[in-house]
Amino acid sequence: MRSILVYADRAPSMGPRLQTALALTRAGKGHLTVLVDTPVTRYVAMDPMGGSYFASDALKKALAEDDEHAAALEARLAAESVPFRVIRSENDPVEALARGARLADLIILSRSTGLAGDVALSSRCPVMMLNDDQPLPQPLTTACIAWDGGDEAALALRGSIPLLAGCESVEILSVKEKSGGFSCDVALRYLAVHGIEGRLHELDRRGSTEATLANAISHLGGQLLVMGAFGHSRMREYLFGGVTRHFLEDKAQPPLLLAH
């Protein structure tokens, strides 16, 4: 991973997010892009009669504050000895990240941004979602891969290879619930081609699929979960639930690497 994009707001979770981005950029001898976004649509309001008005003074203030934030980030990163650039956007965050990641290898977000699922569905770039209070462990020792044989799982596995290369334990978790797709052996062979030894766990479903996976991850001490992102809209995820939604929302779970 040599092209890293990190979303840069002023939330407390920004610290672990930037720390992870810097560590991965150094490890890959890559380039870091930091996105500071000021969504203009937040300053357009509708009145009860169907009209709209533009809060121009509030927008000017927000733009000035975010410009200061971008300048402070530039000053900090100048001392970090990594190639970087800070970019600005006035689009909605999902659109801004999808645009910024067109030639990125990884997008880094935090759980509290609430953006990871929508960004994964909107971008062809893998998304790493961190827990708010800590960076990704370095070095990574145990990674878990949720494998169901689907295209999304295959894409997520492919995108995770640079992270898995130095990992001591790579655990493939497959819940016995459906047939079809790529077999677990295909995943193991793919890892082996990249010099990574994976270990397969075929899990009997106990309760829900997400509970079965969560129990296995906890037992194995997983520090990262690699999985495909499923769903076509926020409403569909709300109505039908699903494994993706569970791991996006459960704060007890490890960081995620998602791809769709």
Side-chain angles (χ1 to χ4, degrees):
M1 294 176 175
R2 302 197 66 183
S3 180
I4 308 294
L5 172 66
V6 62
Y7 183 66
D9 57 13
R10 291 189 292 276
S13 59
M14 178 56 191
R17 206 183 315 156
L18 186 59
Q19 185 178 339
T20 299
L22 286 167
L24 293 178
T25 302
R26 288 193 180 98
K29 298 180 180 179
H31 182 278
L32 176 61
T33 300
V34 178
L35 171 66
V36 178
D37 186 35
T38 313
V40 172
T41 54
R42 291 180 181 172
Y43 302 91
V44 179
M46 303 296 294
D47 64 38
M49 303 301 294
S52 63
Y53 68 90
F54 188 64
S56 58
D57 289 342
L59 176 60
K60 288 178 182 177
K61 179 180 178 183
L63 286 169
E65 290 174 348
D66 286 339
D67 285 343
E68 289 180 6
H69 181 48
L73 286 168
E74 286 187 347
R76 174 180 174 180
L77 291 170
E80 293 288 349
S81 301
V82 298
F84 76 93
R85 64 176 180 141
V86 177
I87 61 174
R88 296 284 277 110
S89 175
E90 296 180 9
N91 293 314
D92 289 338
V94 173
E95 181 182 358
L97 285 161
R99 286 175 175 267
R102 283 177 291 188
L103 290 176
D105 300 321
L106 183 69
I107 302 168
I108 300 179
L109 301 168
S110 299
R111 192 181 298 274
S112 61
T113 65
L115 297 172
D118 289 338
V119 173
L121 295 178
S122 301
S123 173
R124 296 181 181 273
C125 180
V127 174
M128 178 182 289
M129 185 189 74
L130 301 171
N131 292 321
D132 291 353
D133 58 350
Q134 57 187 359
L136 184 73
Q138 299 285 333
L140 194 64
T141 57
T142 303
C144 295
I145 301 162
W147 184 260
D148 69 349
D151 289 337
E152 290 87 355
L155 183 61
L157 175 58
R158 192 171 70 194
S160 70
I161 289 297
L163 294 171
L164 302 180
C167 196
E168 293 179 10
S169 301
V170 177
E171 315 290 347
I172 298 179
L173 311 179
S174 177
V175 179
K176 301 175 185 176
E177 60 179 351
K178 69 179 184 179
S179 59
F182 301 106
S183 72
C184 298
D185 289 341
V186 171
L188 288 168
R189 286 198 298 270
Y190 180 75
L191 288 170
V193 166
H194 290 274
I196 301 169
E197 182 179 356
R199 186 169 59 164
L200 174 62
H201 304 264
E202 294 185 293
L203 309 172
D204 292 318
R205 179 169 171 169
R206 299 183 184 277
S208 66
T209 299
E210 51 267 34
T212 304
L213 287 170
N215 287 335
I217 294 163
S218 177
H219 175 73
L220 293 165
Q223 299 169 309
L224 176 72
L225 174 61
V226 177
M227 65 183 297
F230 298 95
H232 299 288
S233 68
R234 184 183 298 274
M235 181 57 70
R236 175 169 176 170
E237 286 292 315
Y238 174 77
L239 291 173
F240 295 98
V243 176
T244 305
R245 180 168 171 256
H246 173 83
F247 284 99
L248 284 169
E249 296 179 355
D250 188 350
K251 296 178 181 179
Q253 300 306 319
L256 296 180
L257 189 142
L258 296 164
H260 177 76

